[in-house]
Amino acid sequence: MLNAMSMVAQKRTISKADEAGRNLQYQEAIAGYLKAWDKMKDNSYSKQQLAFNLAECYRIVNKPTQAAEWYAKLAETKFAEKKILVWLYYAGELRTLGKCEEAVKYYEKYLQKQPGDFLAMAGLESCRQFADTSTLQSRYIVRNMGVLNSADDDYSPAQASRKADQLFFSTNRKGTAGKDRENWTGAWFADIFTSGLEKGSWKTPVSADMTGMVNSFANEGTPVFDKKFHTMFFTRCEKGVDEKVYCKIMESDRQGQRWSKPAVVVAESRANIGHPWISTNELTIIFASDRKGGQGGKDLWMSTRAGKNKPFKDFENLGSVINTPGDEMFPNLENDSTLYFASSGHPGLGGLDIFRSVRRDGTWSKPENLLAPINSTGDDFGFFLTDERHGFFSSNRSGGKGGDDIYGFEAKTVLFTLSGVVRNENTLFSIPGIPVIIVNSRGDSAKTVTGPDGAYGFDASLIKADNLYRITIPGGTYFAVRDSLSTMRLHENSDFVKNFNLVPVPEEPVVLPDILYDLDKWDLKPMYQDSLLTLVKILNDNPNFIIELRSHTDSRASNEYNDELSQKRAQSVVDFLISKKIDPGRLVAKGYGKRIPRKLEKEMKSGSYKFSKGTVLNDAYIEKLPSKDIREAAYALNRRTEFLITGKDYRQTTVTFADVRPEISIVNDSAGISVPYRLVDKGIIEVQVSINDYSVDAKIDTTVLESFISAARVIELLQKGALSKADFEGDASALLANNKVADSAVIKIRKLRIGDLPVEDVTLTVLNNMPVNVKMGRDILEVAGQYRVDAENKKIIFK
């Protein structure tokens, strides 16, 4: 009988606790559940349900240590397998306690049963992003405001004067007007208190209302002022008709030390509305509410009115970018554009975190976590700025004086600079006079130009904290370059270095025309005169080019006949070019007779016949062609004048066109290729060579094996683009450091010509103090082939 009576009493106790929980009287519910706990049978389902109810009550009243303790009793039981919310809520409390490694385990267990759940995904992402707050910090110094705080809750500070020397805030410390405790948290009802700044120190807070007009027996808090600091908007929570407590937004005018009777600004009979923010013109209000139609939990809403004395209408949810299935509260819109708010739904450090979002063209940006030390594993909320670098917020983080405390913050003075050197990618030499432009995320731009050493720099007045920069080097003779720089979330001084290697824009390929002739003719057809006009334009556009004309015949008739014919063909082209005012000093004309059959560098058409790329039009090929017409078409392609750029460094002379005419030489390589030479001091032979199409004087020294080039000449060729870093053997960055060429560096020459003789696979060694441009030793001469010196005619004859 006694056992039956005990069970009835126990059920009555649990029933009352359940009812208290439904009525949001969580302290009463906790007391009832604890009373029943010890009297229940171990491991029974009912006792596990009781543990869950206790965990939920502690979670709702924001006591994570106790909540985690009760969830832990269930996490590995069959009860949790059926009620998987245990894992989600337990993981959340563990994360708040800084136990992310353990929290991940339960987030993942929950997601296996409930894939894609927003809160679980956000919690898991929070653990992955913010487990180590030491590497993710903002540039603020945070301090507890000491005298403003008590052993109870002090929160939601608000600026109450233009000079920011008066604060209003919410508190439930002793001395408030409320004579009751919240059943939700067990704390005393809150009032609005104030403190003033005097001689650099905050005074002991007192009630902001001694008349009982604002601070009543109900809960008051979260104050905010209009721009004149005349009207205060605040939250009041009191019982409704159903005996449940609901919150609404009130306003009251300040009249000296007195307040007008508060009027309701926004309220609903079955929803909580609070945490107001008011726009500068007082026509828009943002607030937190659990009203229907939101994303879940408490959301941020916005409403507008036609005038200051008109009602707010048309409530609008701020949308899924801002609001989540968690809670979004304590809004503050700085300059009517940058929203600061607290959220438990977006990834964060734990509990409520403070976020920032910017509204542009009616759209909110993705909320940005303000990081530590503004945010902590506790609840952080009620953020506002007094100027660009200072402000206040509230937090229940460890180390405070009570529950929620008020904290002040100051942005550290962080200095950033950007500098670097701009170099030529091909030569690794620095480039002076190159513009460098930076543009920040607001569109502000700055420009500088590289100095003689290729260096550029932007000082701390131009590189600001919390900015994204686009760095641009515009195109021109080099390809444009873009890069970026971020100073977001950086809280220490930084000198950024960004070096750029610019790639030169390659010269457009010079397409030289083909000139063909009728059989036994040397006069220019009108169609080829038009082609030569293209060549005239190329030469006028590039006054440094030197052109070699090579005239050929087909293979029929004798060598003597064809040599003369090719000479006449070359002469006809030279005469035409000179008639168009082309300097004859830029023209080298040669007749090759029938000695060099044409090798087609592309598919070509002659008459109605096509010949493939790579075809060599020699007698052996032509004789095998199936018809006379096709053979004649092939012969026609051999009757040609070709053009070759043999130099890119011609210098204009004062000699007039009438003074000199280029000699048309006949090239008969059966006797060998002759290269004119000059005798210089002490009988040393000097010849003209071409390195990658640039002319260079070269001394011949047969007493040495190796060939050399002076560092000064290498630098000149690098600057002209005739050489690049790719031509150096070894580490080019070391060999070309500091705009100098290292002594004994070895250069591979892509294209070397000794007169008309091309020489392949040769190298030159750099000597810094060599007085001559190039000294050719036996290595290059042996590659060039057998040679003899014709002293009488001052020529070297290569076989």
Side-chain angles (χ1 to χ4, degrees), residues 88-127:
L88 177 64
Y89 294 148
Y90 184 32
E93 301 306 297
L94 289 170
R95 183 169 67 88
T96 298
L97 294 171
K99 300 178 179 179
C100 252
E101 187 174 344
E102 192 175 352
V104 167
K105 170 184 174 182
Y106 291 102
Y107 278 130
E108 290 177 342
K109 283 174 69 76
Y110 180 78
L111 285 168
Q112 287 177 0
K113 298 281 188 179
Q114 198 73 25
D117 180 87
F118 182 93
L119 291 178
M121 295 290 288
L124 196 60
E125 184 64 21
S126 297
C127 281

mmCIF file of all heavy atoms in Angstrom, residues 88-127:
data_model
loop_
_atom_site.group_PDB
_atom_site.id
_atom_site.type_symbol
_atom_site.label_atom_id
_atom_site.label_comp_id
_atom_site.label_asym_id
_atom_site.label_seq_id
_atom_site.Cartn_x
_atom_site.Cartn_y
_atom_site.Cartn_z
ATOM 1 N N LEU A 88 22.140 15.362 -31.054
ATOM 2 C CA LEU A 88 22.277 16.731 -31.556
ATOM 3 C C LEU A 88 22.490 17.715 -30.409
ATOM 4 O O LEU A 88 23.412 18.546 -30.451
ATOM 5 C CB LEU A 88 21.026 17.115 -32.352
ATOM 6 C CG LEU A 88 20.993 18.559 -32.871
ATOM 7 C CD1 LEU A 88 22.110 18.805 -33.880
ATOM 8 C CD2 LEU A 88 19.623 18.876 -33.484
ATOM 9 N N TYR A 89 21.639 17.603 -29.371
ATOM 10 C CA TYR A 89 21.731 18.568 -28.277
ATOM 11 C C TYR A 89 22.967 18.333 -27.421
ATOM 12 O O TYR A 89 23.593 19.289 -26.935
ATOM 13 C CB TYR A 89 20.465 18.495 -27.414
ATOM 14 C CG TYR A 89 19.210 18.943 -28.137
ATOM 15 C CD1 TYR A 89 17.963 18.376 -27.830
ATOM 16 C CD2 TYR A 89 19.270 19.918 -29.137
ATOM 17 C CE1 TYR A 89 16.816 18.784 -28.485
ATOM 18 C CE2 TYR A 89 18.118 20.322 -29.799
ATOM 19 C CZ TYR A 89 16.899 19.755 -29.466
ATOM 20 O OH TYR A 89 15.757 20.152 -30.111
ATOM 21 N N TYR A 90 23.324 17.068 -27.232
ATOM 22 C CA TYR A 90 24.534 16.756 -26.456
ATOM 23 C C TYR A 90 25.765 17.314 -27.166
ATOM 24 O O TYR A 90 26.641 17.935 -26.549
ATOM 25 C CB TYR A 90 24.640 15.250 -26.286
ATOM 26 C CG TYR A 90 25.798 14.787 -25.413
ATOM 27 C CD1 TYR A 90 26.255 15.553 -24.343
ATOM 28 C CD2 TYR A 90 26.425 13.568 -25.657
ATOM 29 C CE1 TYR A 90 27.303 15.121 -23.543
ATOM 30 C CE2 TYR A 90 27.468 13.127 -24.864
ATOM 31 C CZ TYR A 90 27.906 13.911 -23.812
ATOM 32 O OH TYR A 90 28.948 13.477 -23.015
ATOM 33 N N ALA A 91 25.836 17.139 -28.497
ATOM 34 C CA ALA A 91 26.951 17.677 -29.278
ATOM 35 C C ALA A 91 27.026 19.187 -29.139
ATOM 36 O O ALA A 91 28.116 19.767 -28.992
ATOM 37 C CB ALA A 91 26.804 17.287 -30.745
ATOM 38 N N GLY A 92 25.851 19.840 -29.142
ATOM 39 C CA GLY A 92 25.833 21.297 -29.012
ATOM 40 C C GLY A 92 26.370 21.761 -27.671
ATOM 41 O O GLY A 92 27.127 22.745 -27.590
ATOM 42 N N GLU A 93 26.004 21.060 -26.594
ATOM 43 C CA GLU A 93 26.493 21.444 -25.263
ATOM 44 C C GLU A 93 27.993 21.166 -25.138
ATOM 45 O O GLU A 93 28.734 21.954 -24.537
ATOM 46 C CB GLU A 93 25.720 20.696 -24.180
ATOM 47 C CG GLU A 93 24.209 20.949 -24.192
ATOM 48 C CD GLU A 93 23.881 22.430 -24.124
ATOM 49 O OE1 GLU A 93 24.216 23.073 -23.122
ATOM 50 O OE2 GLU A 93 23.293 22.944 -25.097
ATOM 51 N N LEU A 94 28.440 20.056 -25.698
ATOM 52 C CA LEU A 94 29.879 19.754 -25.681
ATOM 53 C C LEU A 94 30.663 20.830 -26.422
ATOM 54 O O LEU A 94 31.743 21.257 -25.982
ATOM 55 C CB LEU A 94 30.129 18.382 -26.315
ATOM 56 C CG LEU A 94 29.687 17.169 -25.511
ATOM 57 C CD1 LEU A 94 29.776 15.897 -26.363
ATOM 58 C CD2 LEU A 94 30.522 16.999 -24.243
ATOM 59 N N ARG A 95 30.145 21.280 -27.548
ATOM 60 C CA ARG A 95 30.827 22.339 -28.307
ATOM 61 C C ARG A 95 30.899 23.623 -27.497
ATOM 62 O O ARG A 95 31.932 24.314 -27.465
ATOM 63 C CB ARG A 95 30.102 22.579 -29.633
ATOM 64 C CG ARG A 95 30.777 23.609 -30.504
ATOM 65 C CD ARG A 95 30.185 23.604 -31.896
ATOM 66 N NE ARG A 95 28.816 24.064 -31.918
ATOM 67 C CZ ARG A 95 28.461 25.346 -32.046
ATOM 68 N NH1 ARG A 95 29.390 26.272 -32.143
ATOM 69 N NH2 ARG A 95 27.199 25.686 -32.086
ATOM 70 N N THR A 96 29.817 23.951 -26.802
ATOM 71 C CA THR A 96 29.809 25.149 -25.960
ATOM 72 C C THR A 96 30.839 25.036 -24.840
ATOM 73 O O THR A 96 31.449 26.040 -24.447
ATOM 74 C CB THR A 96 28.407 25.365 -25.358
ATOM 75 O OG1 THR A 96 27.478 25.568 -26.431
ATOM 76 C CG2 THR A 96 28.379 26.567 -24.436
ATOM 77 N N LEU A 97 31.075 23.828 -24.380
ATOM 78 C CA LEU A 97 32.047 23.600 -23.304
ATOM 79 C C LEU A 97 33.471 23.473 -23.851
ATOM 80 O O LEU A 97 34.403 23.205 -23.091
ATOM 81 C CB LEU A 97 31.673 22.343 -22.515
ATOM 82 C CG LEU A 97 30.360 22.436 -21.729
ATOM 83 C CD1 LEU A 97 29.969 21.074 -21.159
ATOM 84 C CD2 LEU A 97 30.459 23.464 -20.614
ATOM 85 N N GLY A 98 33.639 23.641 -25.162
ATOM 86 C CA GLY A 98 34.966 23.571 -25.762
ATOM 87 C C GLY A 98 35.460 22.163 -26.026
ATOM 88 O O GLY A 98 36.657 21.944 -26.221
ATOM 89 N N LYS A 99 34.543 21.185 -26.050
ATOM 90 C CA LYS A 99 34.927 19.786 -26.256
ATOM 91 C C LYS A 99 34.526 19.358 -27.671
ATOM 92 O O LYS A 99 33.720 18.447 -27.860
ATOM 93 C CB LYS A 99 34.263 18.898 -25.210
ATOM 94 C CG LYS A 99 34.654 19.265 -23.773
ATOM 95 C CD LYS A 99 33.931 18.385 -22.750
ATOM 96 C CE LYS A 99 34.332 18.741 -21.318
ATOM 97 N NZ LYS A 99 33.622 17.915 -20.314
ATOM 98 N N CYS A 100 35.151 20.018 -28.643
ATOM 99 C CA CYS A 100 34.745 19.816 -30.038
ATOM 100 C C CYS A 100 35.037 18.402 -30.536
ATOM 101 O O CYS A 100 34.279 17.837 -31.315
ATOM 102 C CB CYS A 100 35.441 20.840 -30.929
ATOM 103 S SG CYS A 100 34.302 22.110 -31.532
ATOM 104 N N GLU A 101 36.156 17.828 -30.118
ATOM 105 C CA GLU A 101 36.519 16.502 -30.608
ATOM 106 C C GLU A 101 35.438 15.482 -30.259
ATOM 107 O O GLU A 101 35.069 14.640 -31.084
ATOM 108 C CB GLU A 101 37.855 16.085 -30.007
ATOM 109 C CG GLU A 101 38.392 14.787 -30.579
ATOM 110 C CD GLU A 101 39.785 14.451 -30.078
ATOM 111 O OE1 GLU A 101 40.457 15.351 -29.531
ATOM 112 O OE2 GLU A 101 40.200 13.297 -30.235
ATOM 113 N N GLU A 102 34.903 15.576 -29.041
ATOM 114 C CA GLU A 102 33.833 14.670 -28.628
ATOM 115 C C GLU A 102 32.521 15.053 -29.294
ATOM 116 O O GLU A 102 31.711 14.189 -29.652
ATOM 117 C CB GLU A 102 33.696 14.707 -27.101
ATOM 118 C CG GLU A 102 32.828 13.597 -26.541
ATOM 119 C CD GLU A 102 32.813 13.579 -25.017
ATOM 120 O OE1 GLU A 102 33.599 14.337 -24.403
ATOM 121 O OE2 GLU A 102 32.012 12.812 -24.449
ATOM 122 N N ALA A 103 32.296 16.358 -29.494
ATOM 123 C CA ALA A 103 31.054 16.825 -30.115
ATOM 124 C C ALA A 103 30.928 16.301 -31.534
ATOM 125 O O ALA A 103 29.831 15.923 -31.977
ATOM 126 C CB ALA A 103 31.005 18.347 -30.101
ATOM 127 N N VAL A 104 32.037 16.262 -32.279
ATOM 128 C CA VAL A 104 32.006 15.792 -33.667
ATOM 129 C C VAL A 104 31.428 14.381 -33.744
ATOM 130 O O VAL A 104 30.654 14.054 -34.654
ATOM 131 C CB VAL A 104 33.429 15.853 -34.276
ATOM 132 C CG1 VAL A 104 33.495 15.073 -35.589
ATOM 133 C CG2 VAL A 104 33.846 17.299 -34.501
ATOM 134 N N LYS A 105 31.803 13.549 -32.796
ATOM 135 C CA LYS A 105 31.318 12.160 -32.779
ATOM 136 C C LYS A 105 29.793 12.115 -32.785
ATOM 137 O O LYS A 105 29.176 11.350 -33.547
ATOM 138 C CB LYS A 105 31.878 11.453 -31.547
ATOM 139 C CG LYS A 105 31.274 10.086 -31.283
ATOM 140 C CD LYS A 105 31.805 9.493 -29.979
ATOM 141 C CE LYS A 105 31.103 8.196 -29.631
ATOM 142 N NZ LYS A 105 31.585 7.637 -28.336
ATOM 143 N N TYR A 106 29.165 12.954 -31.977
ATOM 144 C CA TYR A 106 27.703 12.891 -31.854
ATOM 145 C C TYR A 106 27.007 13.656 -32.973
ATOM 146 O O TYR A 106 25.893 13.297 -33.368
ATOM 147 C CB TYR A 106 27.276 13.372 -30.463
ATOM 148 C CG TYR A 106 27.694 12.380 -29.398
ATOM 149 C CD1 TYR A 106 28.809 12.604 -28.607
ATOM 150 C CD2 TYR A 106 26.997 11.187 -29.243
ATOM 151 C CE1 TYR A 106 29.215 11.676 -27.655
ATOM 152 C CE2 TYR A 106 27.388 10.245 -28.294
ATOM 153 C CZ TYR A 106 28.505 10.491 -27.518
ATOM 154 O OH TYR A 106 28.903 9.548 -26.593
ATOM 155 N N TYR A 107 27.644 14.704 -33.506
ATOM 156 C CA TYR A 107 27.077 15.328 -34.700
ATOM 157 C C TYR A 107 27.026 14.316 -35.840
ATOM 158 O O TYR A 107 26.035 14.223 -36.569
ATOM 159 C CB TYR A 107 27.928 16.531 -35.116
ATOM 160 C CG TYR A 107 27.651 17.804 -34.358
ATOM 161 C CD1 TYR A 107 28.688 18.545 -33.792
ATOM 162 C CD2 TYR A 107 26.349 18.296 -34.226
ATOM 163 C CE1 TYR A 107 28.436 19.730 -33.099
ATOM 164 C CE2 TYR A 107 26.088 19.467 -33.536
ATOM 165 C CZ TYR A 107 27.137 20.180 -32.975
ATOM 166 O OH TYR A 107 26.882 21.346 -32.299
ATOM 167 N N GLU A 108 28.101 13.545 -35.994
ATOM 168 C CA GLU A 108 28.149 12.588 -37.089
ATOM 169 C C GLU A 108 27.154 11.451 -36.884
ATOM 170 O O GLU A 108 26.536 10.978 -37.845
ATOM 171 C CB GLU A 108 29.572 12.052 -37.233
ATOM 172 C CG GLU A 108 30.543 13.114 -37.780
ATOM 173 C CD GLU A 108 31.976 12.639 -37.867
ATOM 174 O OE1 GLU A 108 32.290 11.614 -37.195
ATOM 175 O OE2 GLU A 108 32.782 13.270 -38.581
ATOM 176 N N LYS A 109 26.978 11.005 -35.637
ATOM 177 C CA LYS A 109 25.972 9.964 -35.354
ATOM 178 C C LYS A 109 24.585 10.471 -35.727
ATOM 179 O O LYS A 109 23.777 9.757 -36.332
ATOM 180 C CB LYS A 109 26.018 9.578 -33.868
ATOM 181 C CG LYS A 109 27.180 8.661 -33.489
ATOM 182 C CD LYS A 109 27.258 8.446 -31.990
ATOM 183 C CE LYS A 109 26.120 7.623 -31.438
ATOM 184 N NZ LYS A 109 26.287 6.175 -31.735
ATOM 185 N N TYR A 110 24.311 11.722 -35.360
ATOM 186 C CA TYR A 110 23.004 12.303 -35.655
ATOM 187 C C TYR A 110 22.790 12.435 -37.160
ATOM 188 O O TYR A 110 21.717 12.119 -37.682
ATOM 189 C CB TYR A 110 22.879 13.666 -34.970
ATOM 190 C CG TYR A 110 21.560 14.356 -35.222
ATOM 191 C CD1 TYR A 110 20.403 13.979 -34.534
ATOM 192 C CD2 TYR A 110 21.460 15.378 -36.161
ATOM 193 C CE1 TYR A 110 19.191 14.610 -34.781
ATOM 194 C CE2 TYR A 110 20.256 16.016 -36.414
ATOM 195 C CZ TYR A 110 19.121 15.623 -35.719
ATOM 196 O OH TYR A 110 17.915 16.242 -35.955
ATOM 197 N N LEU A 111 23.832 12.884 -37.884
ATOM 198 C CA LEU A 111 23.698 13.085 -39.321
ATOM 199 C C LEU A 111 23.538 11.781 -40.087
ATOM 200 O O LEU A 111 22.983 11.759 -41.188
ATOM 201 C CB LEU A 111 24.904 13.862 -39.856
ATOM 202 C CG LEU A 111 24.907 15.357 -39.522
ATOM 203 C CD1 LEU A 111 26.262 15.977 -39.822
ATOM 204 C CD2 LEU A 111 23.801 16.082 -40.296
ATOM 205 N N GLN A 112 24.014 10.680 -39.522
ATOM 206 C CA GLN A 112 23.777 9.388 -40.160
ATOM 207 C C GLN A 112 22.292 9.054 -40.176
ATOM 208 O O GLN A 112 21.788 8.418 -41.106
ATOM 209 C CB GLN A 112 24.556 8.302 -39.428
ATOM 210 C CG GLN A 112 26.061 8.345 -39.680
ATOM 211 C CD GLN A 112 26.811 7.304 -38.880
ATOM 212 O OE1 GLN A 112 26.215 6.526 -38.127
ATOM 213 N NE2 GLN A 112 28.132 7.276 -39.016
ATOM 214 N N LYS A 113 21.580 9.490 -39.142
ATOM 215 C CA LYS A 113 20.136 9.236 -39.049
ATOM 216 C C LYS A 113 19.321 10.367 -39.692
ATOM 217 O O LYS A 113 18.209 10.139 -40.174
ATOM 218 C CB LYS A 113 19.728 9.106 -37.580
ATOM 219 C CG LYS A 113 20.381 7.954 -36.833
ATOM 220 C CD LYS A 113 19.709 6.641 -37.148
ATOM 221 C CE LYS A 113 20.239 5.520 -36.253
ATOM 222 N NZ LYS A 113 19.552 4.235 -36.543
ATOM 223 N N GLN A 114 19.890 11.580 -39.674
ATOM 224 C CA GLN A 114 19.172 12.755 -40.166
ATOM 225 C C GLN A 114 20.086 13.549 -41.106
ATOM 226 O O GLN A 114 20.510 14.652 -40.780
ATOM 227 C CB GLN A 114 18.732 13.625 -38.975
ATOM 228 C CG GLN A 114 17.639 14.632 -39.282
ATOM 229 C CD GLN A 114 16.281 13.986 -39.459
ATOM 230 O OE1 GLN A 114 16.042 12.903 -38.925
ATOM 231 N NE2 GLN A 114 15.408 14.614 -40.208
ATOM 232 N N PRO A 115 20.428 12.976 -42.254
ATOM 233 C CA PRO A 115 21.397 13.641 -43.145
ATOM 234 C C PRO A 115 20.905 15.007 -43.605
ATOM 235 O O PRO A 115 19.727 15.196 -43.901
ATOM 236 C CB PRO A 115 21.519 12.663 -44.315
ATOM 237 C CG PRO A 115 20.305 11.811 -44.258
ATOM 238 C CD PRO A 115 19.909 11.714 -42.820
ATOM 239 N N GLY A 116 21.860 15.971 -43.644
ATOM 240 C CA GLY A 116 21.540 17.304 -44.141
ATOM 241 C C GLY A 116 20.911 18.229 -43.139
ATOM 242 O O GLY A 116 20.582 19.370 -43.465
ATOM 243 N N ASP A 117 20.713 17.794 -41.891
ATOM 244 C CA ASP A 117 20.102 18.666 -40.889
ATOM 245 C C ASP A 117 20.951 19.934 -40.724
ATOM 246 O O ASP A 117 22.167 19.872 -40.519
ATOM 247 C CB ASP A 117 19.991 17.933 -39.553
ATOM 248 C CG ASP A 117 19.366 18.802 -38.471
ATOM 249 O OD1 ASP A 117 18.132 18.818 -38.381
ATOM 250 O OD2 ASP A 117 20.123 19.470 -37.732
ATOM 251 N N PHE A 118 20.291 21.093 -40.786
ATOM 252 C CA PHE A 118 21.015 22.370 -40.801
ATOM 253 C C PHE A 118 21.818 22.581 -39.528
ATOM 254 O O PHE A 118 23.013 22.930 -39.578
ATOM 255 C CB PHE A 118 20.027 23.527 -40.987
ATOM 256 C CG PHE A 118 20.706 24.874 -41.065
ATOM 257 C CD1 PHE A 118 21.052 25.414 -42.289
ATOM 258 C CD2 PHE A 118 21.014 25.588 -39.916
ATOM 259 C CE1 PHE A 118 21.695 26.645 -42.367
ATOM 260 C CE2 PHE A 118 21.659 26.814 -39.978
ATOM 261 C CZ PHE A 118 21.994 27.342 -41.218
ATOM 262 N N LEU A 119 21.190 22.402 -38.368
ATOM 263 C CA LEU A 119 21.881 22.687 -37.106
ATOM 264 C C LEU A 119 23.058 21.741 -36.885
ATOM 265 O O LEU A 119 24.118 22.158 -36.397
ATOM 266 C CB LEU A 119 20.898 22.606 -35.947
ATOM 267 C CG LEU A 119 19.838 23.722 -35.889
ATOM 268 C CD1 LEU A 119 18.889 23.499 -34.726
ATOM 269 C CD2 LEU A 119 20.505 25.090 -35.775
ATOM 270 N N ALA A 120 22.891 20.485 -37.271
ATOM 271 C CA ALA A 120 23.988 19.532 -37.111
ATOM 272 C C ALA A 120 25.136 19.876 -38.055
ATOM 273 O O ALA A 120 26.311 19.827 -37.673
ATOM 274 C CB ALA A 120 23.493 18.111 -37.366
ATOM 275 N N MET A 121 24.799 20.209 -39.283
ATOM 276 C CA MET A 121 25.841 20.586 -40.248
ATOM 277 C C MET A 121 26.578 21.839 -39.785
ATOM 278 O O MET A 121 27.806 21.938 -39.884
ATOM 279 C CB MET A 121 25.215 20.826 -41.628
ATOM 280 C CG MET A 121 24.607 19.589 -42.261
ATOM 281 S SD MET A 121 25.856 18.382 -42.781
ATOM 282 C CE MET A 121 26.539 19.231 -44.185
ATOM 283 N N ALA A 122 25.809 22.824 -39.273
ATOM 284 C CA ALA A 122 26.433 24.059 -38.776
ATOM 285 C C ALA A 122 27.320 23.780 -37.578
ATOM 286 O O ALA A 122 28.410 24.343 -37.445
ATOM 287 C CB ALA A 122 25.359 25.081 -38.429
ATOM 288 N N GLY A 123 26.860 22.894 -36.690
ATOM 289 C CA GLY A 123 27.668 22.552 -35.518
ATOM 290 C C GLY A 123 28.951 21.842 -35.907
ATOM 291 O O GLY A 123 30.027 22.120 -35.365
ATOM 292 N N LEU A 124 28.825 20.907 -36.857
ATOM 293 C CA LEU A 124 30.009 20.180 -37.321
ATOM 294 C C LEU A 124 30.996 21.137 -37.983
ATOM 295 O O LEU A 124 32.212 21.068 -37.752
ATOM 296 C CB LEU A 124 29.568 19.097 -38.310
ATOM 297 C CG LEU A 124 30.573 17.982 -38.620
ATOM 298 C CD1 LEU A 124 30.956 17.228 -37.364
ATOM 299 C CD2 LEU A 124 29.975 17.023 -39.649
ATOM 300 N N GLU A 125 30.483 22.055 -38.800
ATOM 301 C CA GLU A 125 31.344 23.039 -39.446
ATOM 302 C C GLU A 125 31.994 23.957 -38.420
ATOM 303 O O GLU A 125 33.152 24.359 -38.563
ATOM 304 C CB GLU A 125 30.523 23.856 -40.445
ATOM 305 C CG GLU A 125 31.320 24.851 -41.260
ATOM 306 C CD GLU A 125 32.340 24.193 -42.172
ATOM 307 O OE1 GLU A 125 32.182 22.985 -42.473
ATOM 308 O OE2 GLU A 125 33.301 24.868 -42.570
ATOM 309 N N SER A 126 31.256 24.277 -37.363
ATOM 310 C CA SER A 126 31.818 25.105 -36.290
ATOM 311 C C SER A 126 33.014 24.429 -35.648
ATOM 312 O O SER A 126 34.045 25.069 -35.391
ATOM 313 C CB SER A 126 30.749 25.385 -35.225
ATOM 314 O OG SER A 126 29.676 26.129 -35.766
ATOM 315 N N CYS A 127 32.889 23.140 -35.396
ATOM 316 C CA CYS A 127 34.001 22.413 -34.776
ATOM 317 C C CYS A 127 35.205 22.361 -35.711
ATOM 318 O O CYS A 127 36.350 22.438 -35.260
ATOM 319 C CB CYS A 127 33.557 21.000 -34.405
ATOM 320 S SG CYS A 127 32.598 20.940 -32.880
#
